[in-house]
Each structure stands twice: as structure tokens, then as C-alpha cells.
Amino acid sequence: SPECIDPLPVPKGYMKTANGWSCDRGYLGEAVPTCLLDTQCEQLPFVLDGCDLPVPCVAPEVEECSTDITSCHDVEPGSSCIASCKIPWAPASTIARCPLGNVDPARVLDWDTAAPTCVLLDCLDPLPEDVPLGYVKTDDGWKCDPAAGLAGYAGD
């Protein structure tokens, strides 16, 4: 059977060795040559496939209001980042990792355990102009405003 015609120039990510084709330095996978014929059954330069550059992982989807994942964008293969709860949510954090040798540009980071569980510790007080009529803040929390002639329970 005839030899395949080497592609010229050599495609990026591949190199020819004494043992055949392999992935160039920095590329991962296995070089797979495929011989092709044109419509007159003449040999064409073969196609190489299988070698890819490692690529960063994609940050996972989280609740953006409560979870800080700023360090988890474009995490390189073999590296990790920390996702943590924002203030005023309960302090919690989790490590997320990009697997060594990742060649999938859509690969989402892997959580070591799970995404951080962010629980709201305390609601922030509204601005004075946003406090509804009939409520007043005291040292003991929010109360119905007796000056407004209201009684009842204002909640926590």
C-alpha cells in the first residue's frame, strides 16, 4: 500500500519523529493521521488529528449575589480557585479545580465538595426614605410605630 503524503507545512501541534507522528511539545493527545484520496483516486496530503492545547476551565454557574467566583475565571489545567460567600452571607468557601490536561474549552471547574452554601446572616436596614410608614427601628429591632397609631408585630 502506498505511503501517505506528508502534509506541508506541518500543522501546528504536530511533529514527525523517527517513529511516526506525535503531538508537539505543549500539546496533549495522540496524533492520528488519516490518508485521503481525491476524486481521481490520487493520494492527497493526509490529515492529522488528535493533538490539542490544554485550555482553561469555565467558571461554574453560581448565585452571583451571594457567591464570589472572581478568582475562578480562566483557571488553567492543574490549577484551582476559591469560591466564597460575599458579605453579608455566612462565611463559607470551596475550592474548584481544573483537571490537569483539560483540552475541552467548555469544561466547567470541578468542586472539591460542592458549591459554597451561602446563608444570609442579617438583612441590611433599608435607607430611611425607604422605610414604610408605620415602622420604626429601635435598639430591639423593627417595631410598629406607636406614633402612627399602629400596633402589632413588625417581624425580625
Side-chain angles (χ1 to χ4, degrees):
S1 89
E3 288 286 315
C4 290
I5 301 169
D6 286 348
L8 289 175
V10 173
K12 191 171 186 163
Y14 299 88
M15 62 184 220
K16 188 164 188 180
T17 66
N19 298 324
W21 290 93
S22 66
C23 295
D24 205 353
R25 188 178 324 226
Y27 285 76
L28 302 173
E30 184 177 328
V32 178
T34 302
C35 292
L36 301 173
L37 300 174
D38 67 14
T39 55
Q40 283 78 41
C41 298
E42 296 292 322
Q43 197 100 47
L44 294 172
F46 62 86
V47 175
L48 286 165
D49 193 30
C51 297
D52 295 297
L53 274 174
V55 293
C57 290
V58 176
E61 288 192 26
V62 295
E63 176 53 56
E64 291 181 24
C65 292
S66 62
T67 310
D68 179 6
I69 59 165
T70 53
S71 70
C72 292
H73 295 282
D74 298 320
V75 175
E76 293 294 327
S79 298
S80 63
C81 65
I82 296 176
S84 57
C85 297
K86 296 177 182 178
I87 295 172
W89 279 267
S93 62
T94 304
I95 295 173
R97 300 179 190 280
C98 184
L100 190 63
N102 179 53
V103 294
D104 179 1
R107 172 70 186 255
V108 177
L109 291 166
D110 296 325
W111 294 113
D112 268 9
T113 52
T117 302
C118 301
V119 179
L120 191 58
L121 292 175
D122 193 16
C123 292
L124 299 175
D125 287 340
L127 296 171
E129 62 268 20
D130 294 332
V131 175
L133 193 61
Y135 294 91
V136 64
K137 174 104 187 230
T138 68
D139 291 339
D140 296 325
W142 288 95
K143 307 283 182 198
C144 293
D145 187 357
L150 300 171
Y153 175 70
D156 292 332

